[in-house]
Amino acid sequence: MPTSNNPAVSRSNKNFDPKYAAKGGPSRGGSNNGSKSPGHRGYQADAGAPKKARWNAGERADRAAGRPANDRPAYGDRPARSNDRPAYGDRPARGNDRPSYNNDRPSYNGASRTDRPTHSNTDRPTYNARSERPSYNSDRPRTDRPSYNNDRPSYGDRPARSNDRPAYNKDRPSYGDRPARSNDRPAYNSDRPRTDRPAYNNDRPSYGDRPARSNDRPAYNNDRPRTDRPAYNNDRPSYGDRPARSNDRPSYGDRPARTERPSYGDRPERSHSDRPSYGDRPARTERPSYGDRPDRAARTERSDRPSYGDRPDRSHSDRSNRSAHDDGGHSSNFYPSRDTKAHFASGDDVVLERLEAIATTAAEVVGVTFGDLGLGENIVRELGALGAASPFPIQAATIPDVLAGRDVLGRGKTGSGKTIAFGAPLVEKLMENNGAKDRKMARKPRALILAPTRELALQIDRTVQPIARSVGLFTTQIYGGVPQYRQVSALQRGVDIIIGTAGRIEDLIEQGRLDLSEVVVTVLDEADYMCDLGFLEPVQRILRQTKKGGQKLLFSATLDKGVASLVKEFLTNPAVHEVAGEDQASSTIDHKVLVIEHRDKSAIIGQLVDRQGKTLIFSRTRAYAEQLAEQLEDAGVKATSLHGDLNQARRTRNLQMLTSGRVNVLVATDVAARGIHVDDIDLVIQADAPDEYKTYLHRSGRTGRAGKSGTVVTLIPKQRRRRMDELLERADIEASFMNAAPGDAAVRELAGL
DNA sequence: AAAAAAG
């Protein structure tokens, strides 16, 4: 095979092996493999088949032996296909595609495409030959898929599917089942569409479309099962992790709703409790310049500012108008914000350098509804379903401006409603510009949401996707660590909103598979982080790809002037919002610093985690995170790790292990510092002290959520004490320092929490 | 040092 093929093969193998091996390798062995991706499909039919056995020569041989009658029945379906094929008249198109396939499958091609009918009968021997295909399959995914993607466009129907699936995959546990589909799909589809999807549909309004798909798939399946899906399987193995997802989903309700929402209900409180720390930020980050800020009183003044003063009113008065209009339909004309715009324009005194912001308090938004803010009925309903009954301060502050088309800088702690603050109005705007009805295949994405980590991108999608679906728009995730074909095929089918990380997005752009030229709204979540060295340039390159004059929204819990360079190049007269922070005094987080001997570190950590609640441990390096997790496990503590040395499947799974409670301890690098939502983490241990106060704030923000109490313990050697003092001061956090050694009462007491 | 594309 060409070298290109080989690599491809190796990839696929990698995808499969690690996962399978890692997961159930020993216990389930081949069955796992089979069960996961190829397994489902072939698995049931083949039963004994280990992995892709079907395609494997071994299985083939078995089948060939027994099959004549047995397996083929399954294939018997194919005969049916032959019957169907007339219908496949459509395939010609495929045939077109396949040529490429053919390239891969010399023997297969000749027989299958033209002859297949006969194939089913006579050729199967060839099929046996296929048994050899195993390699074939492995090859294809890589070579063909690209072509597939190309083909899919033709799959007019699929577009929807692809769109859905991405989402499905992520969200839906059941998705895990699909792998099976690919194998079985012919039959499988018939079954599933009805059984599984209905459920899906139930969950997802927008999926109402799928039913059609299910119809289509049968045919579709016939063709693809062999070519494409195997590939799918390949990918999914990784999705094999999804099962974990499934875990998440249960949690699903949790994620968006639980983490954020609980907080939502609580929010006012949270904002108080959580913000204390964040509330401080503004001051912290900007302190120098913010020298002004300290005057929150000044903020009050700001609130008095003409422009701002108007807002609250707007929301009330204008909104009532809007809502009336909105009921009939959405149009940008409603936005009073335009009036607002004028006001803002006059209020250009907002100095970007200082990131002076309009502070919104919980009290200001009492009684305001999402509808008042200008969001449409469907979106409001979906938000309600998500648990966001009424807007939080950050949402009330930014939604009108986003709808008005302004560039926005928003400072709000993750979990404080930030995602909805940009996600909901973004969807609303896209809908205004181009209704769902006008959805066309292969349309270019019109919105982009960039996140610093894959986990965060996934989390954002979990919130934004349902909102988008509620109005018929589609989202897809574009991030690395997973096979790209599925992402590419989704793009080709056409999506409206892309949520992802910089690397893969740039990769796909370079490959010519992603075109951001129609992106009119771009969101940078954790924007300050995205401006860190190493992130800034990719982000700039990506932003330059988006439509000129497009709207830019920058959000972060620690938004500071670090984003100045982006603001200068890409934003025009941005509105800057933040939520008035409560004092630390109202924080529910207890900060402690243990001054220890370096050699005692692991022993002390071992004693600290010997407790009931969930503990998140931060380490500076991947290696130490891994080592510490292993060490704890050896000591009998259920622990796992999360860092960039793990493949995406493991990352996802390990995080879920903490979410689901299968482990109580997660040792992570700063990949988990931002945006990760796990309920009930009541202890955060910083095995290595952070270098930056913002890191401290983000790490500690993983606990003390929803008004619950939390403790942050930072371990430092005594020579670091001074630095730690300065960092805490910068973060405006008061912590208690104490010397500690293994077995100390203080340590036992902390564990007793 | 970590993260983000693979590898």
Side-chain angles (χ1 to χ4, degrees):
Chain A
M1 300 296 286
T3 55
S4 64
N5 287 339
N6 290 337
V9 172
S10 65
R11 279 188 193 170
S12 65
N13 289 339
K14 286 181 182 178
N15 288 337
F16 288 106
D17 294 344
K19 296 175 183 176
Y20 292 125
K23 290 181 179 177
S27 63
R28 288 185 183 179
S31 65
N32 272 350
N33 294 340
S35 68
K36 290 183 179 177
S37 61
H40 288 296
R41 303 166 188 170
Y43 180 73
Q44 293 175 349
D46 294 346
K51 296 179 179 178
K52 297 178 179 178
R54 293 181 182 178
W55 299 98
N56 291 340
E59 288 184 352
R60 291 284 168 166
D62 292 343
R63 290 184 182 177
R67 262 193 202 176
N70 296 336
D71 291 346
R72 296 294 159 109
Y75 284 112
D77 294 345
R78 290 189 180 178
R81 294 179 185 176
S82 61
N83 293 337
D84 291 345
R85 293 195 179 176
Y88 283 114
D90 295 342
R91 289 191 180 178
R94 294 181 183 176
N96 293 336
D97 291 343
R98 292 197 177 174
S100 63
Y101 281 135
N102 292 334
N103 293 336
D104 293 341
R105 304 184 176 179
S107 63
Y108 191 49
N109 294 334
S112 64
R113 297 178 182 168
T114 57
D115 294 342
R116 281 190 183 177
T118 58
H119 253 325
S120 61
N121 299 336
T122 59
D123 291 344
R124 292 199 176 172
T126 6
Y127 272 132
N128 293 336
R130 291 182 186 176
S131 60
E132 299 172 352
R133 291 188 182 176
S135 63
Y136 188 49
N137 293 332
S138 62
D139 291 345
R140 280 198 178 181
R142 287 139 207 195
T143 57
D144 291 346
R145 292 188 181 178
S147 63
Y148 267 145
N149 295 335
N150 293 335
D151 292 345
R152 293 193 178 176
S154 65
Y155 287 115
D157 295 343
R158 285 197 178 180
R161 294 178 185 177
S162 61
N163 291 337
D164 291 343
R165 290 188 181 178
Y168 277 142
N169 293 333
K170 294 176 179 179
D171 292 344
R172 300 187 179 178
S174 61
Y175 207 18
D177 296 341
R178 284 193 181 179
R181 294 181 185 175
S182 59
N183 293 334
D184 292 343
R185 287 188 181 176
Y188 191 53
N189 292 333
S190 61
D191 293 343
R192 283 198 177 177
R194 286 137 207 199
T195 59
D196 293 344
R197 298 204 170 168
Y200 278 141
N201 293 333
N202 291 336
D203 292 344
R204 302 185 179 183
S206 63
Y207 284 122
D209 296 343
R210 285 195 178 179
R213 296 179 185 178
S214 60
N215 293 336
D216 293 343
R217 289 191 182 178
Y220 189 50
N221 294 332
N222 291 337
D223 293 342
R224 289 204 174 174
R226 291 157 200 184
T227 58
D228 291 345
R229 302 219 165 156
Y232 275 139
N233 292 332
N234 291 336
D235 292 346
R236 297 203 174 164
S238 60
Y239 286 115
D241 297 342
R242 290 190 181 177
R245 295 180 184 176
S246 59
N247 292 337
D248 289 347
R249 301 227 167 145
S251 62
Y252 198 22
D254 295 346
R255 294 173 251 133
R258 295 174 189 175
T259 57
E260 295 177 353
R261 286 162 197 182
S263 62
Y264 280 142
D266 295 342
R267 247 215 186 176
E269 294 178 357
R270 281 191 188 177
S271 60
H272 295 288
S273 63
D274 291 345
R275 302 227 171 132
S277 61
Y278 288 116
D280 295 342
R281 277 179 265 140
R284 302 168 193 170
T285 56
E286 298 174 350
R287 287 186 182 178
S289 60
Y290 276 124
D292 296 346
R293 273 205 183 176
D295 316 339
R296 290 191 177 176
R299 293 183 186 174
T300 306
E301 293 175 359
R302 295 175 191 170
S303 62
D304 291 344
R305 291 179 185 179
S307 62
Y308 293 119
D310 292 347
R311 265 201 189 176
D313 293 345
R314 296 175 192 168
S315 59
H316 297 289
S317 63
D318 289 343
R319 282 157 197 179
S320 59
N321 293 338
R322 287 183 189 174
S323 62
H325 289 292
D326 288 350
D327 291 347
H330 301 283
S331 80
S332 59
N333 294 335
F334 304 130
Y335 303 111
S337 40
R338 295 197 172 177
D339 293 345
T340 302
K341 257 193 177 180
H343 290 292
F344 279 115
S346 65
D348 281 345
D349 55 344
V350 171
V351 180
L352 296 182
E353 283 299 320
R354 305 196 321 208
L355 287 182
E356 247 180 67
I358 302 164
T360 299
T361 65
E364 292 178 53
V365 302
V366 170
V368 176
T369 69
F370 281 115
D372 291 337
L373 297 175
L375 297 177
E377 208 175 295
N378 288 341
I379 293 176
V380 172
R381 194 185 309 119
E382 185 61 31
L383 289 173
L386 288 172
S390 59
F392 291 159
I394 188 68
Q395 295 161 355
T398 63
I399 288 175
D401 277 342
V402 174
L403 290 175
R406 292 198 70 186
D407 287 341
V408 173
L409 297 184
R411 184 186 294 114
K413 177 183 175 182
T414 303
S416 67
K418 204 177 41 168
T419 305
I420 287 175
F422 61 71
L426 176 154
V427 170
E428 175 74 26
K429 272 199 77 71
L430 291 191
M431 209 178 56
E432 293 167 2
N433 295 340
N434 184 4
K437 315 165 188 174
D438 298 337
R439 221 165 62 219
K440 54 189 176 186
M441 296 186 299
R443 63 193 179 285
K444 294 174 184 174
R446 288 175 292 140
L448 169 67
I449 301 174
L450 276 176
T453 67
R454 299 164 188 171
E455 283 75 14
L456 186 51
L458 281 169
Q459 188 171 280
I460 292 168
D461 186 57
R462 290 188 199 111
T463 296
V464 174
Q465 183 192 92
I467 298 171
R469 284 291 170 72
S470 73
V471 297
L473 298 181
F474 291 82
T475 69
T476 196
Q477 310 83 16
I478 304 292
Y479 60 89
V482 299
Q484 65 171 231
Y485 78 88
R486 216 164 45 84
Q487 297 172 354
V488 172
S489 60
L491 288 173
Q492 291 180 335
R493 280 173 225 133
V495 299
D496 305 285
I497 303 168
I498 285 176
I499 300 163
T501 52
R504 177 61 62 87
I505 287 173
E506 275 208 288
D507 194 4
L508 294 185
I509 289 174
E510 287 172 10
Q511 292 178 35
R513 295 167 189 271
L514 174 56
D515 182 350
L516 299 181
S517 64
E518 294 299 318
V519 169
V520 293
V521 185
T522 306
V523 180
L524 286 193
D525 199 6
E526 303 297 350
D528 59 319
Y529 194 44
M530 300 294 272
C531 288
D532 272 9
L533 193 64
F535 262 136
L536 181 58
E537 299 205 353
V539 168
Q540 287 174 328
R541 286 193 295 266
I542 290 170
L543 288 178
R544 288 177 190 134
Q545 298 279 322
T546 64
K547 190 161 191 168
K548 280 173 188 159
Q551 194 174 3
K552 308 292 190 298
L553 313 175
L554 275 51
F555 282 78
S556 178
T558 53
L559 195 65
D560 56 22
K561 60 183 178 182
V563 299
S565 65
L566 285 185
V567 171
K568 283 179 185 170
E569 179 175 357
F570 301 103
L571 280 70
T572 305
N573 184 30
V576 188
H577 293 279
E578 70 178 9
V579 173
E582 280 68 19
D583 290 344
Q584 304 168 345
S586 63
S587 173
T588 56
I589 301 177
D590 188 17
H591 298 270
K592 294 185 182 306
V593 178
L594 298 188
V595 182
I596 65 170
E597 293 292 335
H598 184 267
R599 64 172 178 276
D600 293 336
K601 187 187 280 186
S602 62
I604 289 177
I605 290 173
Q607 289 170 15
L608 288 174
V609 302
D610 184 18
R611 49 193 288 284
Q612 291 300 313
K614 289 179 183 175
T615 304
L616 178 55
I617 304 176
F618 284 103
S619 110
R620 193 178 57 104
T621 69
R622 303 165 176 180
Y624 186 51
E626 190 64 31
Q627 178 198 325
L628 194 51
E630 287 178 10
Q631 195 175 307
L632 292 173
E633 281 200 313
D634 289 345
V637 177
K638 286 185 186 171
T640 189
S641 59
L642 178 61
H643 55 77
D645 271 346
L646 301 175
N647 65 40
Q648 191 54 38
R650 291 198 76 122
R651 281 169 60 161
T652 303
R653 190 182 61 190
N654 288 358
L655 178 56
Q656 290 172 341
M657 285 176 76
L658 181 67
T659 302
S660 66
R662 273 179 298 186
V663 300
N664 273 341
V665 179
L666 178 67
V667 189
T669 58
D670 281 331
V671 68
R674 288 187 181 239
I676 301 302
H677 295 275
V678 175
D679 284 346
D680 302 326
I681 291 177
D682 49 15
L683 175 60
V684 168
I685 298 173
Q686 303 195 76
D688 299 306
D691 289 326
E692 203 190 357
Y693 80 91
K694 288 201 287 182
T695 303
Y696 187 103
L697 290 173
H698 285 283
R699 285 175 169 186
S700 61
R702 301 310 106 198
T703 187
R705 295 184 159 259
K708 293 178 183 172
S709 63
T711 302
V712 177
V713 175
T714 305
L715 305 181
I716 61 168
K718 61 173 179 268
Q719 65 269 24
R720 185 158 180 143
R721 178 162 185 156
R722 182 169 181 175
R723 245 175 94 187
M724 195 64 204
D725 260 328
E726 293 170 352
L727 182 149
L728 289 170
E729 188 182 346
R730 188 92 199 281
D732 206 4
I733 287 174
E734 285 187 15
S736 60
F737 284 68
M738 66 183 87
N739 293 316
D744 276 2
V747 175
R748 288 200 302 274
E749 186 183 332
L750 283 173
L753 296 176

